[in-house]
PDB file of all heavy atoms in Angstrom:
ATOM      1  N   MET Z   1     -53.978  13.019  52.924  1.00 94.00           N
ATOM      2  CA  MET Z   1     -55.295  12.678  53.259  1.00 94.00           C
ATOM      3  C   MET Z   1     -55.923  11.781  52.156  1.00 94.00           C
ATOM      4  O   MET Z   1     -55.579  11.870  51.046  1.00 94.00           O
ATOM      5  CB  MET Z   1     -56.150  13.936  53.472  1.00 94.00           C
ATOM      6  CG  MET Z   1     -55.610  14.896  54.516  1.00 94.00           C
ATOM      7  SD  MET Z   1     -55.829  14.249  56.119  1.00 94.00           S
ATOM      8  CE  MET Z   1     -57.613  14.200  56.359  1.00 94.00           C
ATOM      9  N   ALA Z   2     -56.958  11.055  52.598  1.00 97.00           N
ATOM     10  CA  ALA Z   2     -57.592  10.170  51.643  1.00 97.00           C
ATOM     11  C   ALA Z   2     -59.048   9.959  52.023  1.00 97.00           C
ATOM     12  O   ALA Z   2     -59.479  10.205  53.107  1.00 97.00           O
ATOM     13  CB  ALA Z   2     -56.873   8.781  51.635  1.00 97.00           C
ATOM     14  N   TRP Z   3     -59.799   9.503  51.039  1.00 98.00           N
ATOM     15  CA  TRP Z   3     -61.174   9.071  51.196  1.00 98.00           C
ATOM     16  C   TRP Z   3     -61.248   7.574  50.892  1.00 98.00           C
ATOM     17  O   TRP Z   3     -60.711   7.085  49.908  1.00 98.00           O
ATOM     18  CB  TRP Z   3     -62.159   9.759  50.273  1.00 98.00           C
ATOM     19  CG  TRP Z   3     -62.414  11.236  50.667  1.00 98.00           C
ATOM     20  CD1 TRP Z   3     -61.775  12.355  50.231  1.00 98.00           C
ATOM     21  CD2 TRP Z   3     -63.390  11.653  51.651  1.00 98.00           C
ATOM     22  NE1 TRP Z   3     -62.296  13.435  50.830  1.00 98.00           N
ATOM     23  CE2 TRP Z   3     -63.216  13.129  51.665  1.00 98.00           C
ATOM     24  CE3 TRP Z   3     -64.331  11.065  52.434  1.00 98.00           C
ATOM     25  CZ2 TRP Z   3     -64.063  13.888  52.519  1.00 98.00           C
ATOM     26  CZ3 TRP Z   3     -65.098  11.817  53.276  1.00 98.00           C
ATOM     27  CH2 TRP Z   3     -65.015  13.250  53.299  1.00 98.00           C
ATOM     28  N   PHE Z   4     -61.932   6.870  51.716  1.00 98.00           N
ATOM     29  CA  PHE Z   4     -62.249   5.451  51.533  1.00 98.00           C
ATOM     30  C   PHE Z   4     -63.798   5.285  51.576  1.00 98.00           C
ATOM     31  O   PHE Z   4     -64.534   6.169  52.081  1.00 98.00           O
ATOM     32  CB  PHE Z   4     -61.642   4.559  52.563  1.00 98.00           C
ATOM     33  CG  PHE Z   4     -60.122   4.366  52.409  1.00 98.00           C
ATOM     34  CD1 PHE Z   4     -59.308   5.420  52.731  1.00 98.00           C
ATOM     35  CD2 PHE Z   4     -59.564   3.195  51.943  1.00 98.00           C
ATOM     36  CE1 PHE Z   4     -57.898   5.274  52.592  1.00 98.00           C
ATOM     37  CE2 PHE Z   4     -58.251   2.983  51.810  1.00 98.00           C
ATOM     38  CZ  PHE Z   4     -57.383   4.058  52.087  1.00 98.00           C
ATOM     39  N   ARG Z   5     -64.265   4.177  51.136  1.00 98.00           N
ATOM     40  CA  ARG Z   5     -65.693   3.851  51.268  1.00 98.00           C
ATOM     41  C   ARG Z   5     -65.897   2.378  51.550  1.00 98.00           C
ATOM     42  O   ARG Z   5     -65.088   1.535  51.135  1.00 98.00           O
ATOM     43  CB  ARG Z   5     -66.493   4.318  50.024  1.00 98.00           C
ATOM     44  CG  ARG Z   5     -66.158   3.554  48.748  1.00 98.00           C
ATOM     45  CD  ARG Z   5     -66.815   4.165  47.601  1.00 98.00           C
ATOM     46  NE  ARG Z   5     -66.614   3.388  46.338  1.00 98.00           N
ATOM     47  CZ  ARG Z   5     -67.059   3.809  45.135  1.00 98.00           C
ATOM     48  NH1 ARG Z   5     -67.714   4.926  45.040  1.00 98.00           N
ATOM     49  NH2 ARG Z   5     -66.785   3.083  44.068  1.00 98.00           N
ATOM     50  N   GLN Z   6     -66.971   2.098  52.121  1.00 98.00           N
ATOM     51  CA  GLN Z   6     -67.332   0.691  52.435  1.00 98.00           C
ATOM     52  C   GLN Z   6     -68.816   0.481  52.299  1.00 98.00           C
ATOM     53  O   GLN Z   6     -69.599   1.138  52.953  1.00 98.00           O
ATOM     54  CB  GLN Z   6     -66.934   0.336  53.832  1.00 98.00           C
ATOM     55  CG  GLN Z   6     -67.146  -1.129  54.155  1.00 98.00           C
ATOM     56  CD  GLN Z   6     -66.424  -1.535  55.481  1.00 98.00           C
ATOM     57  OE1 GLN Z   6     -66.177  -0.712  56.326  1.00 98.00           O
ATOM     58  NE2 GLN Z   6     -66.050  -2.826  55.652  1.00 98.00           N
ATOM     59  N   ALA Z   7     -69.237  -0.417  51.380  1.00 97.00           N
ATOM     60  CA  ALA Z   7     -70.556  -0.779  51.136  1.00 97.00           C
ATOM     61  C   ALA Z   7     -70.895  -1.992  51.972  1.00 97.00           C
ATOM     62  O   ALA Z   7     -70.028  -2.743  52.363  1.00 97.00           O
ATOM     63  CB  ALA Z   7     -70.782  -1.084  49.649  1.00 97.00           C
ATOM     64  N   PRO Z   8     -72.140  -2.188  52.336  1.00 90.00           N
ATOM     65  CA  PRO Z   8     -72.518  -3.327  53.104  1.00 90.00           C
ATOM     66  C   PRO Z   8     -72.107  -4.661  52.485  1.00 90.00           C
ATOM     67  O   PRO Z   8     -72.252  -4.871  51.286  1.00 90.00           O
ATOM     68  CB  PRO Z   8     -74.101  -3.277  53.144  1.00 90.00           C
ATOM     69  CG  PRO Z   8     -74.399  -1.824  52.982  1.00 90.00           C
ATOM     70  CD  PRO Z   8     -73.345  -1.312  52.038  1.00 90.00           C
ATOM     71  N   GLY Z   9     -71.453  -5.500  53.267  1.00 93.00           N
ATOM     72  CA  GLY Z   9     -70.995  -6.763  52.801  1.00 93.00           C
ATOM     73  C   GLY Z   9     -69.710  -6.776  52.049  1.00 93.00           C
ATOM     74  O   GLY Z   9     -69.272  -7.767  51.554  1.00 93.00           O
ATOM     75  N   LYS Z  10     -69.137  -5.609  51.913  1.00 96.00           N
ATOM     76  CA  LYS Z  10     -67.914  -5.468  51.125  1.00 96.00           C
ATOM     77  C   LYS Z  10     -66.777  -4.903  52.014  1.00 96.00           C
ATOM     78  O   LYS Z  10     -67.057  -4.271  53.012  1.00 96.00           O
ATOM     79  CB  LYS Z  10     -68.053  -4.568  49.921  1.00 96.00           C
ATOM     80  CG  LYS Z  10     -69.090  -5.094  48.894  1.00 96.00           C
ATOM     81  CD  LYS Z  10     -69.168  -4.243  47.651  1.00 96.00           C
ATOM     82  CE  LYS Z  10     -70.127  -4.727  46.663  1.00 96.00           C
ATOM     83  NZ  LYS Z  10     -70.238  -3.837  45.446  1.00 96.00           N
ATOM     84  N   GLU Z  11     -65.545  -5.094  51.583  1.00 96.00           N
ATOM     85  CA  GLU Z  11     -64.433  -4.571  52.262  1.00 96.00           C
ATOM     86  C   GLU Z  11     -64.264  -3.069  51.979  1.00 96.00           C
ATOM     87  O   GLU Z  11     -64.693  -2.591  50.915  1.00 96.00           O
ATOM     88  CB  GLU Z  11     -63.170  -5.333  51.902  1.00 96.00           C
ATOM     89  CG  GLU Z  11     -63.081  -6.732  52.369  1.00 96.00           C
ATOM     90  CD  GLU Z  11     -61.728  -7.368  52.138  1.00 96.00           C
ATOM     91  OE1 GLU Z  11     -60.938  -6.914  51.349  1.00 96.00           O
ATOM     92  OE2 GLU Z  11     -61.432  -8.383  52.807  1.00 96.00           O
ATOM     93  N   ARG Z  12     -63.607  -2.379  52.926  1.00 96.00           N
ATOM     94  CA  ARG Z  12     -63.382  -0.992  52.633  1.00 96.00           C
ATOM     95  C   ARG Z  12     -62.391  -0.842  51.466  1.00 96.00           C
ATOM     96  O   ARG Z  12     -61.424  -1.606  51.341  1.00 96.00           O
ATOM     97  CB  ARG Z  12     -62.717  -0.369  53.918  1.00 96.00           C
ATOM     98  CG  ARG Z  12     -62.478   1.101  53.810  1.00 96.00           C
ATOM     99  CD  ARG Z  12     -62.022   1.645  55.189  1.00 96.00           C
ATOM    100  NE  ARG Z  12     -62.985   1.433  56.228  1.00 96.00           N
ATOM    101  CZ  ARG Z  12     -62.826   1.892  57.516  1.00 96.00           C
ATOM    102  NH1 ARG Z  12     -61.705   2.451  57.845  1.00 96.00           N
ATOM    103  NH2 ARG Z  12     -63.749   1.593  58.365  1.00 96.00           N
ATOM    104  N   GLU Z  13     -62.707   0.162  50.554  1.00 97.00           N
ATOM    105  CA  GLU Z  13     -61.911   0.328  49.404  1.00 97.00           C
ATOM    106  C   GLU Z  13     -61.458   1.778  49.333  1.00 97.00           C
ATOM    107  O   GLU Z  13     -62.125   2.693  49.733  1.00 97.00           O
ATOM    108  CB  GLU Z  13     -62.670  -0.058  48.172  1.00 97.00           C
ATOM    109  CG  GLU Z  13     -63.873   0.797  47.847  1.00 97.00           C
ATOM    110  CD  GLU Z  13     -64.505   0.422  46.519  1.00 97.00           C
ATOM    111  OE1 GLU Z  13     -63.942  -0.328  45.762  1.00 97.00           O
ATOM    112  OE2 GLU Z  13     -65.685   0.962  46.245  1.00 97.00           O
ATOM    113  N   PHE Z  14     -60.317   1.963  48.658  1.00 97.00           N
ATOM    114  CA  PHE Z  14     -59.738   3.231  48.468  1.00 97.00           C
ATOM    115  C   PHE Z  14     -60.507   4.000  47.355  1.00 97.00           C
ATOM    116  O   PHE Z  14     -60.937   3.394  46.399  1.00 97.00           O
ATOM    117  CB  PHE Z  14     -58.263   3.136  47.944  1.00 97.00           C
ATOM    118  CG  PHE Z  14     -57.614   4.355  47.482  1.00 97.00           C
ATOM    119  CD1 PHE Z  14     -57.159   5.330  48.333  1.00 97.00           C
ATOM    120  CD2 PHE Z  14     -57.519   4.587  46.104  1.00 97.00           C
ATOM    121  CE1 PHE Z  14     -56.572   6.460  47.829  1.00 97.00           C
ATOM    122  CE2 PHE Z  14     -56.965   5.699  45.621  1.00 97.00           C
ATOM    123  CZ  PHE Z  14     -56.493   6.667  46.491  1.00 97.00           C
ATOM    124  N   VAL Z  15     -60.691   5.275  47.655  1.00 98.00           N
ATOM    125  CA  VAL Z  15     -61.437   6.131  46.664  1.00 98.00           C
ATOM    126  C   VAL Z  15     -60.486   7.153  46.068  1.00 98.00           C
ATOM    127  O   VAL Z  15     -60.350   7.276  44.866  1.00 98.00           O
ATOM    128  CB  VAL Z  15     -62.588   6.834  47.347  1.00 98.00           C
ATOM    129  CG1 VAL Z  15     -63.255   7.815  46.338  1.00 98.00           C
ATOM    130  CG2 VAL Z  15     -63.609   5.838  47.807  1.00 98.00           C
ATOM    131  N   SER Z  16     -59.815   7.969  46.947  1.00 98.00           N
ATOM    132  CA  SER Z  16     -58.990   9.007  46.426  1.00 98.00           C
ATOM    133  C   SER Z  16     -58.020   9.511  47.565  1.00 98.00           C
ATOM    134  O   SER Z  16     -58.308   9.348  48.712  1.00 98.00           O
ATOM    135  CB  SER Z  16     -59.883  10.233  45.968  1.00 98.00           C
ATOM    136  OG  SER Z  16     -59.073  11.258  45.371  1.00 98.00           O
ATOM    137  N   SER Z  17     -56.972  10.144  47.110  1.00 96.00           N
ATOM    138  CA  SER Z  17     -56.017  10.722  48.072  1.00 96.00           C
ATOM    139  C   SER Z  17     -55.383  11.966  47.555  1.00 96.00           C
ATOM    140  O   SER Z  17     -55.390  12.180  46.318  1.00 96.00           O
ATOM    141  CB  SER Z  17     -54.888   9.668  48.450  1.00 96.00           C
ATOM    142  OG  SER Z  17     -54.071   9.398  47.310  1.00 96.00           O
ATOM    143  N   VAL Z  18     -54.931  12.803  48.461  1.00 95.00           N
ATOM    144  CA  VAL Z  18     -54.238  14.049  48.096  1.00 95.00           C
ATOM    145  C   VAL Z  18     -53.056  14.280  49.028  1.00 95.00           C
ATOM    146  O   VAL Z  18     -53.145  14.013  50.179  1.00 95.00           O
ATOM    147  CB  VAL Z  18     -55.245  15.246  48.080  1.00 95.00           C
ATOM    148  CG1 VAL Z  18     -55.805  15.430  49.495  1.00 95.00           C
ATOM    149  CG2 VAL Z  18     -54.574  16.514  47.661  1.00 95.00           C
ATOM    150  N   ARG Z  19     -51.944  14.758  48.458  1.00 91.00           N
ATOM    151  CA  ARG Z  19     -50.747  15.037  49.271  1.00 91.00           C
ATOM    152  C   ARG Z  19     -50.986  16.171  50.133  1.00 91.00           C
ATOM    153  O   ARG Z  19     -51.947  16.978  50.005  1.00 91.00           O
ATOM    154  CB  ARG Z  19     -49.548  15.248  48.368  1.00 91.00           C
ATOM    155  CG  ARG Z  19     -49.081  14.007  47.637  1.00 91.00           C
ATOM    156  CD  ARG Z  19     -47.900  14.247  46.697  1.00 91.00           C
ATOM    157  NE  ARG Z  19     -46.734  14.687  47.371  1.00 91.00           N
ATOM    158  CZ  ARG Z  19     -45.896  13.873  47.978  1.00 91.00           C
ATOM    159  NH1 ARG Z  19     -45.969  12.580  47.902  1.00 91.00           N
ATOM    160  NH2 ARG Z  19     -44.782  14.428  48.608  1.00 91.00           N
ATOM    161  N   TRP Z  20     -50.079  16.315  51.122  1.00 84.00           N
ATOM    162  CA  TRP Z  20     -50.273  17.299  52.215  1.00 84.00           C
ATOM    163  C   TRP Z  20     -50.454  18.760  51.733  1.00 84.00           C
ATOM    164  O   TRP Z  20     -51.157  19.449  52.429  1.00 84.00           O
ATOM    165  CB  TRP Z  20     -49.065  17.206  53.236  1.00 84.00           C
ATOM    166  CG  TRP Z  20     -47.736  17.672  52.633  1.00 84.00           C
ATOM    167  CD1 TRP Z  20     -46.884  16.920  51.915  1.00 84.00           C
ATOM    168  CD2 TRP Z  20     -47.221  18.966  52.730  1.00 84.00           C
ATOM    169  NE1 TRP Z  20     -45.735  17.644  51.569  1.00 84.00           N
ATOM    170  CE2 TRP Z  20     -45.955  18.947  51.997  1.00 84.00           C
ATOM    171  CE3 TRP Z  20     -47.580  20.162  53.293  1.00 84.00           C
ATOM    172  CZ2 TRP Z  20     -45.152  20.002  51.899  1.00 84.00           C
ATOM    173  CZ3 TRP Z  20     -46.778  21.265  53.140  1.00 84.00           C
ATOM    174  CH2 TRP Z  20     -45.560  21.197  52.445  1.00 84.00           C
ATOM    175  N   ALA Z  21     -49.805  19.125  50.673  1.00 81.00           N
ATOM    176  CA  ALA Z  21     -49.921  20.491  50.200  1.00 81.00           C
ATOM    177  C   ALA Z  21     -50.839  20.614  48.939  1.00 81.00           C
ATOM    178  O   ALA Z  21     -50.778  21.570  48.201  1.00 81.00           O
ATOM    179  CB  ALA Z  21     -48.574  21.056  49.864  1.00 81.00           C
ATOM    180  N   GLY Z  22     -51.592  19.533  48.726  1.00 77.00           N
ATOM    181  CA  GLY Z  22     -52.454  19.536  47.510  1.00 77.00           C
ATOM    182  C   GLY Z  22     -51.560  18.980  46.311  1.00 77.00           C
ATOM    183  O   GLY Z  22     -50.555  18.313  46.552  1.00 77.00           O
ATOM    184  N   GLY Z  23     -51.906  19.322  45.137  1.00 81.00           N
ATOM    185  CA  GLY Z  23     -51.137  18.921  44.001  1.00 81.00           C
ATOM    186  C   GLY Z  23     -51.454  17.515  43.586  1.00 81.00           C
ATOM    187  O   GLY Z  23     -52.564  17.258  43.114  1.00 81.00           O
ATOM    188  N   ARG Z  24     -50.530  16.591  43.773  1.00 92.00           N
ATOM    189  CA  ARG Z  24     -50.708  15.223  43.314  1.00 92.00           C
ATOM    190  C   ARG Z  24     -51.867  14.562  43.992  1.00 92.00           C
ATOM    191  O   ARG Z  24     -52.007  14.522  45.199  1.00 92.00           O
ATOM    192  CB  ARG Z  24     -49.403  14.459  43.555  1.00 92.00           C
ATOM    193  CG  ARG Z  24     -49.453  13.084  42.804  1.00 92.00           C
ATOM    194  CD  ARG Z  24     -48.113  12.370  42.913  1.00 92.00           C
ATOM    195  NE  ARG Z  24     -47.888  11.784  44.219  1.00 92.00           N
ATOM    196  CZ  ARG Z  24     -46.798  11.130  44.541  1.00 92.00           C
ATOM    197  NH1 ARG Z  24     -45.809  11.012  43.703  1.00 92.00           N
ATOM    198  NH2 ARG Z  24     -46.636  10.691  45.753  1.00 92.00           N
ATOM    199  N   THR Z  25     -52.723  13.984  43.165  1.00 96.00           N
ATOM    200  CA  THR Z  25     -53.880  13.262  43.678  1.00 96.00           C
ATOM    201  C   THR Z  25     -53.938  11.873  42.981  1.00 96.00           C
ATOM    202  O   THR Z  25     -53.377  11.739  41.926  1.00 96.00           O
ATOM    203  CB  THR Z  25     -55.177  14.019  43.296  1.00 96.00           C
ATOM    204  OG1 THR Z  25     -55.276  14.239  41.899  1.00 96.00           O
ATOM    205  CG2 THR Z  25     -55.204  15.370  43.993  1.00 96.00           C
ATOM    206  N   ASN Z  26     -54.644  10.963  43.623  1.00 96.00           N
ATOM    207  CA  ASN Z  26     -54.865   9.592  43.097  1.00 96.00           C
ATOM    208  C   ASN Z  26     -56.335   9.287  43.221  1.00 96.00           C
ATOM    209  O   ASN Z  26     -57.069   9.736  44.156  1.00 96.00           O
ATOM    210  CB  ASN Z  26     -54.058   8.625  43.933  1.00 96.00           C
ATOM    211  CG  ASN Z  26     -52.547   8.783  43.676  1.00 96.00           C
ATOM    212  OD1 ASN Z  26     -52.068   8.738  42.529  1.00 96.00           O
ATOM    213  ND2 ASN Z  26     -51.762   8.948  44.725  1.00 96.00           N
ATOM    214  N   TYR Z  27     -56.808   8.483  42.306  1.00 97.00           N
ATOM    215  CA  TYR Z  27     -58.179   8.061  42.284  1.00 97.00           C
ATOM    216  C   TYR Z  27     -58.290   6.626  41.904  1.00 97.00           C
ATOM    217  O   TYR Z  27     -57.539   6.033  41.068  1.00 97.00           O
ATOM    218  CB  TYR Z  27     -58.981   8.861  41.222  1.00 97.00           C
ATOM    219  CG  TYR Z  27     -59.058  10.366  41.520  1.00 97.00           C
ATOM    220  CD1 TYR Z  27     -58.083  11.229  40.940  1.00 97.00           C
ATOM    221  CD2 TYR Z  27     -60.045  10.909  42.306  1.00 97.00           C
ATOM    222  CE1 TYR Z  27     -58.178  12.611  41.219  1.00 97.00           C
ATOM    223  CE2 TYR Z  27     -60.113  12.249  42.576  1.00 97.00           C
ATOM    224  CZ  TYR Z  27     -59.179  13.051  42.016  1.00 97.00           C
ATOM    225  OH  TYR Z  27     -59.225  14.415  42.259  1.00 97.00           O
ATOM    226  N   ALA Z  28     -59.273   5.974  42.502  1.00 98.00           N
ATOM    227  CA  ALA Z  28     -59.641   4.653  42.071  1.00 98.00           C
ATOM    228  C   ALA Z  28     -60.210   4.705  40.707  1.00 98.00           C
ATOM    229  O   ALA Z  28     -60.856   5.673  40.294  1.00 98.00           O
ATOM    230  CB  ALA Z  28     -60.623   3.977  43.032  1.00 98.00           C
ATOM    231  N   ASP Z  29     -59.944   3.603  39.897  1.00 98.00           N
ATOM    232  CA  ASP Z  29     -60.459   3.625  38.541  1.00 98.00           C
ATOM    233  C   ASP Z  29     -61.948   3.791  38.457  1.00 98.00           C
ATOM    234  O   ASP Z  29     -62.435   4.403  37.551  1.00 98.00           O
ATOM    235  CB  ASP Z  29     -60.055   2.301  37.849  1.00 98.00           C
ATOM    236  CG  ASP Z  29     -58.579   2.158  37.551  1.00 98.00           C
ATOM    237  OD1 ASP Z  29     -57.880   3.216  37.524  1.00 98.00           O
ATOM    238  OD2 ASP Z  29     -58.107   1.045  37.331  1.00 98.00           O
ATOM    239  N   SER Z  30     -62.659   3.329  39.495  1.00 97.00           N
ATOM    240  CA  SER Z  30     -64.089   3.334  39.466  1.00 97.00           C
ATOM    241  C   SER Z  30     -64.675   4.796  39.572  1.00 97.00           C
ATOM    242  O   SER Z  30     -65.814   5.018  39.223  1.00 97.00           O
ATOM    243  CB  SER Z  30     -64.666   2.562  40.566  1.00 97.00           C
ATOM    244  OG  SER Z  30     -64.204   2.960  41.820  1.00 97.00           O
ATOM    245  N   VAL Z  31     -63.820   5.665  40.015  1.00 98.00           N
ATOM    246  CA  VAL Z  31     -64.342   7.094  40.230  1.00 98.00           C
ATOM    247  C   VAL Z  31     -63.619   8.124  39.376  1.00 98.00           C
ATOM    248  O   VAL Z  31     -63.985   9.302  39.409  1.00 98.00           O
ATOM    249  CB  VAL Z  31     -64.276   7.519  41.701  1.00 98.00           C
ATOM    250  CG1 VAL Z  31     -64.963   6.520  42.590  1.00 98.00           C
ATOM    251  CG2 VAL Z  31     -62.814   7.727  42.150  1.00 98.00           C
ATOM    252  N   LYS Z  32     -62.599   7.723  38.579  1.00 98.00           N
ATOM    253  CA  LYS Z  32     -61.838   8.683  37.784  1.00 98.00           C
ATOM    254  C   LYS Z  32     -62.815   9.380  36.799  1.00 98.00           C
ATOM    255  O   LYS Z  32     -63.662   8.813  36.201  1.00 98.00           O
ATOM    256  CB  LYS Z  32     -60.786   7.921  37.013  1.00 98.00           C
ATOM    257  CG  LYS Z  32     -59.584   7.559  37.822  1.00 98.00           C
ATOM    258  CD  LYS Z  32     -58.493   6.949  37.011  1.00 98.00           C
ATOM    259  CE  LYS Z  32     -57.315   6.511  37.817  1.00 98.00           C
ATOM    260  NZ  LYS Z  32     -56.295   5.844  37.038  1.00 98.00           N
TER     261      LYS Z  32
END
């Protein structure tokens, strides 16, 4: 699963993701 976000006038960008059983996660540098 993942979260994305999109601001007006901008492309959708990746925010964060998590594997199916939890554990490993990823974050965009802007939200770390």
Side-chain angles (χ1 to χ4, degrees):
M1 302 292 294
W3 288 95
F4 287 74
R5 67 187 182 186
Q6 186 168 23
K10 297 183 179 180
E11 294 186 340
R12 186 174 298 181
E13 66 175 349
F14 169 80
V15 176
S16 185
S17 64
V18 60
R19 290 178 62 86
W20 66 273
R24 191 171 74 182
T25 57
N26 292 303
Y27 297 92
D29 288 341
S30 60
V31 306
K32 286 181 179 177

